[in-house]
Amino acid sequence: MAVTAAHEQPLGIDELLERVRAGYDRIEAQAAYDAARDGDALLVDIRYAALRDHDGLIPGALVVERNELEWRLDPRGSHRAPEATGHDVRVVVICNEGYASTLAAASLHRLGLHRATDLVGGFQAWKAAGLPVTS
């Protein structure tokens, strides 16, 4: 059990998100699309299956359930995806609205994926920008 100093207050989720987001540059939908198109980013969709079934998929995005993300993207891991070729891969994590992806990107940073980021507004921002979606 973690011990917290008596004067320290636990972080709320909003403060945690703010602190995590201050640690890296997030990316907007059009910029993510352009980077992926140019081969400079790996889009990783962590939405659960029901959302993917309902809203569609981003063409070319690697689909990885959130609970498998670290195992699939750790370049040194035995369960890594073929796309996880090194710590310099620019990973753009995409959730539904851009909240869970922030925490996921922070976790990837802790694994040494220093270029990991997340999509501002998530899949919904991608869709609203009129970017490609398949069913």
Side-chain angles (χ1 to χ4, degrees):
M1 187 165 132
V3 177
T4 303
H7 65 280
E8 291 182 34
Q9 294 294 318
L11 291 179
I13 188 62
D14 293 332
E15 185 178 4
L16 177 61
L17 286 172
E18 185 177 309
R19 286 187 184 186
V20 168
R21 289 173 176 169
Y24 63 89
D25 292 325
R26 300 177 79 210
I27 192 167
E28 299 285 341
Q30 186 64 53
Y33 172 79
D34 294 342
R37 182 196 61 217
D38 295 344
D40 186 43
L42 172 63
L43 305 179
V44 179
D45 187 344
I46 64 168
R47 294 174 301 142
Y48 53 88
L51 284 175
R52 294 190 312 267
D53 291 346
H54 183 267
D55 290 336
L57 298 168
I58 295 172
L62 176 65
V63 174
V64 178
E65 296 284 338
R66 173 61 191 100
N67 63 327
E68 297 178 359
L69 183 68
E70 291 81 1
W71 284 267
R72 304 290 287 146
L73 292 183
D74 179 0
R76 298 183 306 169
S78 60
H79 293 85
R80 73 174 182 81
E83 295 86 349
T85 57
H87 289 93
D88 289 332
V89 173
R90 185 179 184 195
V91 175
V92 177
V93 183
I94 303 166
C95 68
N96 194 48
E97 294 182 340
Y99 296 101
S101 57
T102 293
L103 300 177
S107 181
L108 294 178
H109 275 254
R110 289 191 296 276
L111 283 177
L113 293 157
H114 61 95
R115 296 181 70 205
T117 188
D118 75 309
L119 183 64
V120 175
F123 178 85
Q124 296 306 319
W126 179 280
K127 187 175 170 182
L131 296 169
V133 174
T134 62
S135 46

